[in-house]
Amino acid sequence: MRKTDSIRVITFDLDNTLWDVGQTIRRAETLLREWMQTNTPDALAVYASGAIEEIRADIVARHPNQRYDLSFLRTEVLRACMLESGLAESQAKRAAEAAFEVFFVGRNDVVFFDNALKVLEDLSQRYRLFALTNGNADIHRVGIGQYFEGAVSSADVGASKPDPAMFSAVLARAGVQAPEAVHVGDHLSDDILGANRAGMLSIWFNRDGAHDNNGDSQPSAEVQSLSALPDSIAGLS
């Protein structure tokens, strides 16, 4: 276990680290489709069809610099569905933005894992916290913004974890060196491997008790509950 005398910053993955993202997205998708059924049923038929993958691939191909911006991509997919259903350009744009907002409300209506809020409150009193996510959840709309000094997403960086650019970006935002920061996440490659290669400490949130067979992804520490995080971080100091 690698230790440091000066942990100053904790960076947190969000999805599947603080809440179950699968559950969250399913509920958001349900809200979106219900709204479309009521307001744009012809566009829903396109959205729910086999054509959606081709539509999305076309949008990514036309906007390669925004392929990591999940909010942009979803809004553009919705706009394309609106256009395909026969709406005029201005109508399609307004409808897509309204539809995305319905989805985004659901996207940020999360059910936190046990003790997540208590642990964030506790840690925020002793360390500087930053979110580091490949997703598009908004820490303020989720209701945890008061615990975080900032957030860095793949849309901000134009890359996604485990790309070193993500970790460099959050370290630069925090103004600290890699050994002064510990990253907490659930994904062995995106979170642990990425943090290790950036020179940061890493804590694997192994909620399901999985086995790690990849030496490159060996975390500095491992927890199966968020309530164990404060002691785990203290043990790295």
Side-chain angles (χ1 to χ4, degrees):
M1 179 187 296
R2 181 164 61 94
K3 292 191 175 186
T4 178
D5 294 327
S6 55
I7 293 176
R8 298 170 57 195
V9 166
I10 305 171
T11 64
F12 273 93
D13 174 55
L14 300 178
D15 292 331
N16 288 332
T17 296
L18 298 180
W19 57 76
D20 183 330
V21 71
Q23 251 183 33
T24 303
I25 295 296
R26 285 191 294 273
R27 287 197 304 268
E29 277 285 350
T30 297
L31 290 172
L32 170 62
R33 291 180 183 231
E34 288 174 349
W35 185 92
M36 293 178 76
Q37 181 62 56
T38 299
N39 296 277
T40 58
D42 292 341
L44 175 60
V46 179
Y47 183 80
S49 73
I52 194 66
E53 291 304 322
E54 184 177 344
I55 289 171
R56 188 181 191 284
D58 177 65
I59 289 167
V60 171
R62 288 190 289 109
H63 302 279
N65 294 334
Q66 290 173 280
R67 66 187 182 277
Y68 298 107
D69 187 337
L70 302 186
S71 296
F72 170 82
L73 292 178
R74 185 175 285 273
T75 304
E76 283 299 295
V77 165
L78 289 167
R79 188 175 72 87
C81 291
M82 304 296 177
L83 289 170
E84 186 70 20
S85 74
L87 292 182
E89 177 66 42
S90 60
Q91 293 175 306
K93 182 177 185 296
R94 287 195 298 271
E97 290 171 350
F100 176 77
E101 179 58 25
V102 169
F103 171 84
F104 205 52
V105 167
R107 172 68 173 95
N108 289 290
D109 183 16
V110 305
V111 178
F112 291 100
F113 289 140
D114 290 346
N115 298 305
L117 297 180
K118 182 179 185 303
V119 167
L120 289 175
E121 181 179 14
D122 179 27
L123 292 176
S124 69
Q125 294 172 11
R126 290 182 279 168
Y127 306 93
R128 299 165 60 203
L129 307 189
F130 288 80
L132 183 62
T133 177
N134 286 348
N136 61 343
D138 184 308
I139 57 172
H140 299 287
R141 294 181 69 155
V142 164
I144 55 175
Q146 67 271 30
Y147 304 126
F148 286 83
E149 189 172 322
V152 174
S153 73
S154 56
D156 298 325
V157 179
S160 61
K161 295 177 295 182
D163 192 305
M166 288 288 286
F167 297 90
S168 296
V170 77
L171 291 170
R173 179 80 65 88
V176 298
Q177 299 299 309
E180 299 175 297
V182 56
H183 179 67
V184 179
D186 71 291
H187 199 282
L188 277 175
S189 176
D190 291 353
D191 294 306
I192 305 308
L193 177 62
N196 290 350
R197 288 181 172 174
M200 296 170 63
L201 295 161
S202 60
I203 297 179
W204 182 26
F205 178 45
N206 184 12
R207 186 166 179 261
D208 297 323
H211 295 288
D212 175 15
N213 296 315
N214 187 340
D216 290 339
S217 300
Q218 186 66 36
S220 308
E222 176 182 334
V223 297
Q224 286 189 255
S225 68
L226 293 175
S227 60
L229 266 178
D231 285 345
S232 181
I233 292 167
L236 295 175
S237 298

mmCIF file of all heavy atoms in Angstrom, residues 7 18 40 67 70 91 149 155 162 169 187 196 207 210 217 221:
data_model
loop_
_atom_site.group_PDB
_atom_site.id
_atom_site.type_symbol
_atom_site.label_atom_id
_atom_site.label_comp_id
_atom_site.label_asym_id
_atom_site.label_seq_id
_atom_site.Cartn_x
_atom_site.Cartn_y
_atom_site.Cartn_z
ATOM 1 N N ILE A 7 -2.324 14.089 1.858
ATOM 2 C CA ILE A 7 -3.522 14.044 1.017
ATOM 3 C C ILE A 7 -4.310 15.330 1.249
ATOM 4 O O ILE A 7 -4.690 15.662 2.369
ATOM 5 C CB ILE A 7 -4.406 12.822 1.357
ATOM 6 C CG1 ILE A 7 -3.697 11.520 0.974
ATOM 7 C CG2 ILE A 7 -5.746 12.914 0.616
ATOM 8 C CD1 ILE A 7 -4.453 10.275 1.363
ATOM 9 N N LEU A 18 -21.452 6.779 -6.182
ATOM 10 C CA LEU A 18 -22.339 7.408 -5.197
ATOM 11 C C LEU A 18 -23.790 6.964 -5.355
ATOM 12 O O LEU A 18 -24.588 7.102 -4.421
ATOM 13 C CB LEU A 18 -22.246 8.924 -5.290
ATOM 14 C CG LEU A 18 -20.869 9.527 -4.982
ATOM 15 C CD1 LEU A 18 -20.913 11.041 -5.111
ATOM 16 C CD2 LEU A 18 -20.399 9.127 -3.585
ATOM 17 N N THR A 40 -44.757 14.317 -28.667
ATOM 18 C CA THR A 40 -44.178 14.090 -30.002
ATOM 19 C C THR A 40 -44.210 12.598 -30.323
ATOM 20 O O THR A 40 -43.166 11.962 -30.461
ATOM 21 C CB THR A 40 -42.732 14.618 -30.064
ATOM 22 O OG1 THR A 40 -41.949 13.957 -29.051
ATOM 23 C CG2 THR A 40 -42.659 16.122 -29.865
ATOM 24 N N ARG A 67 -17.934 14.174 -29.075
ATOM 25 C CA ARG A 67 -18.393 12.802 -28.843
ATOM 26 C C ARG A 67 -18.396 12.420 -27.361
ATOM 27 O O ARG A 67 -19.007 11.422 -26.987
ATOM 28 C CB ARG A 67 -17.548 11.810 -29.639
ATOM 29 C CG ARG A 67 -16.080 11.711 -29.222
ATOM 30 C CD ARG A 67 -15.335 10.827 -30.220
ATOM 31 N NE ARG A 67 -13.941 10.633 -29.872
ATOM 32 C CZ ARG A 67 -12.969 11.479 -30.169
ATOM 33 N NH1 ARG A 67 -13.262 12.608 -30.803
ATOM 34 N NH2 ARG A 67 -11.718 11.213 -29.829
ATOM 35 N N LEU A 70 -22.151 14.009 -23.463
ATOM 36 C CA LEU A 70 -23.344 13.170 -23.510
ATOM 37 C C LEU A 70 -24.627 13.982 -23.593
ATOM 38 O O LEU A 70 -25.598 13.541 -24.217
ATOM 39 C CB LEU A 70 -23.373 12.250 -22.288
ATOM 40 C CG LEU A 70 -22.169 11.324 -22.108
ATOM 41 C CD1 LEU A 70 -22.404 10.381 -20.937
ATOM 42 C CD2 LEU A 70 -21.883 10.535 -23.379
ATOM 43 N N GLN A 91 -39.121 24.011 -34.699
ATOM 44 C CA GLN A 91 -39.950 23.194 -33.811
ATOM 45 C C GLN A 91 -39.155 22.012 -33.253
ATOM 46 O O GLN A 91 -39.274 21.664 -32.075
ATOM 47 C CB GLN A 91 -41.173 22.669 -34.569
ATOM 48 C CG GLN A 91 -42.176 23.734 -34.984
ATOM 49 C CD GLN A 91 -43.278 23.127 -35.836
ATOM 50 O OE1 GLN A 91 -43.021 22.458 -36.849
ATOM 51 N NE2 GLN A 91 -44.518 23.353 -35.426
ATOM 52 N N GLU A 149 -15.792 21.263 -4.282
ATOM 53 C CA GLU A 149 -15.192 22.519 -4.725
ATOM 54 C C GLU A 149 -15.313 22.701 -6.230
ATOM 55 O O GLU A 149 -15.311 23.826 -6.727
ATOM 56 C CB GLU A 149 -13.719 22.549 -4.311
ATOM 57 C CG GLU A 149 -13.045 23.884 -4.527
ATOM 58 C CD GLU A 149 -11.657 23.947 -3.926
ATOM 59 O OE1 GLU A 149 -11.446 23.381 -2.827
ATOM 60 O OE2 GLU A 149 -10.779 24.561 -4.553
ATOM 61 N N ALA A 155 -17.023 15.884 -20.962
ATOM 62 C CA ALA A 155 -17.395 16.958 -21.884
ATOM 63 C C ALA A 155 -16.475 18.155 -21.730
ATOM 64 O O ALA A 155 -16.160 18.844 -22.700
ATOM 65 C CB ALA A 155 -18.846 17.375 -21.642
ATOM 66 N N PRO A 162 -10.099 6.178 -18.786
ATOM 67 C CA PRO A 162 -8.871 6.442 -18.019
ATOM 68 C C PRO A 162 -7.860 7.360 -18.712
ATOM 69 O O PRO A 162 -6.692 7.359 -18.320
ATOM 70 C CB PRO A 162 -8.275 5.035 -17.875
ATOM 71 C CG PRO A 162 -8.653 4.344 -19.147
ATOM 72 C CD PRO A 162 -10.037 4.856 -19.458
ATOM 73 N N ALA A 169 -6.549 17.233 -15.752
ATOM 74 C CA ALA A 169 -7.463 18.378 -15.688
ATOM 75 C C ALA A 169 -7.935 18.637 -14.268
ATOM 76 O O ALA A 169 -7.985 19.790 -13.811
ATOM 77 C CB ALA A 169 -8.660 18.150 -16.608
ATOM 78 N N HIS A 187 -14.779 1.648 -11.012
ATOM 79 C CA HIS A 187 -14.357 0.959 -12.233
ATOM 80 C C HIS A 187 -12.845 0.754 -12.228
ATOM 81 O O HIS A 187 -12.075 1.712 -12.145
ATOM 82 C CB HIS A 187 -14.776 1.780 -13.457
ATOM 83 C CG HIS A 187 -14.806 1.010 -14.717
ATOM 84 N ND1 HIS A 187 -13.667 0.695 -15.426
ATOM 85 C CD2 HIS A 187 -15.841 0.472 -15.411
ATOM 86 C CE1 HIS A 187 -13.995 0.016 -16.504
ATOM 87 N NE2 HIS A 187 -15.309 -0.151 -16.524
ATOM 88 N N ASN A 196 -3.969 5.492 -11.120
ATOM 89 C CA ASN A 196 -2.621 4.959 -10.889
ATOM 90 C C ASN A 196 -1.631 5.518 -11.909
ATOM 91 O O ASN A 196 -0.513 5.922 -11.564
ATOM 92 C CB ASN A 196 -2.640 3.438 -10.977
ATOM 93 C CG ASN A 196 -3.358 2.782 -9.810
ATOM 94 O OD1 ASN A 196 -3.695 3.435 -8.835
ATOM 95 N ND2 ASN A 196 -3.597 1.484 -9.915
ATOM 96 N N ARG A 207 -18.245 -2.471 -4.403
ATOM 97 C CA ARG A 207 -19.504 -2.696 -3.691
ATOM 98 C C ARG A 207 -19.970 -4.148 -3.767
ATOM 99 O O ARG A 207 -20.577 -4.673 -2.830
ATOM 100 C CB ARG A 207 -20.581 -1.772 -4.281
ATOM 101 C CG ARG A 207 -21.912 -1.783 -3.555
ATOM 102 C CD ARG A 207 -22.760 -0.607 -4.010
ATOM 103 N NE ARG A 207 -24.055 -0.595 -3.350
ATOM 104 C CZ ARG A 207 -25.160 -1.062 -3.908
ATOM 105 N NH1 ARG A 207 -25.141 -1.563 -5.135
ATOM 106 N NH2 ARG A 207 -26.311 -1.017 -3.254
ATOM 107 N N ALA A 210 -16.180 -7.897 -6.044
ATOM 108 C CA ALA A 210 -15.559 -8.539 -7.209
ATOM 109 C C ALA A 210 -14.084 -8.784 -6.943
ATOM 110 O O ALA A 210 -13.493 -8.236 -6.002
ATOM 111 C CB ALA A 210 -15.741 -7.662 -8.444
ATOM 112 N N SER A 217 -4.237 -2.482 -12.360
ATOM 113 C CA SER A 217 -5.361 -1.796 -11.736
ATOM 114 C C SER A 217 -5.408 -2.017 -10.234
ATOM 115 O O SER A 217 -6.460 -1.911 -9.614
ATOM 116 C CB SER A 217 -6.684 -2.262 -12.371
ATOM 117 O OG SER A 217 -6.710 -1.987 -13.747
ATOM 118 N N ALA A 221 -6.125 1.220 -2.013
ATOM 119 C CA ALA A 221 -6.978 0.667 -0.959
ATOM 120 C C ALA A 221 -8.303 0.263 -1.590
ATOM 121 O O ALA A 221 -8.608 0.632 -2.732
ATOM 122 C CB ALA A 221 -7.200 1.688 0.151
#
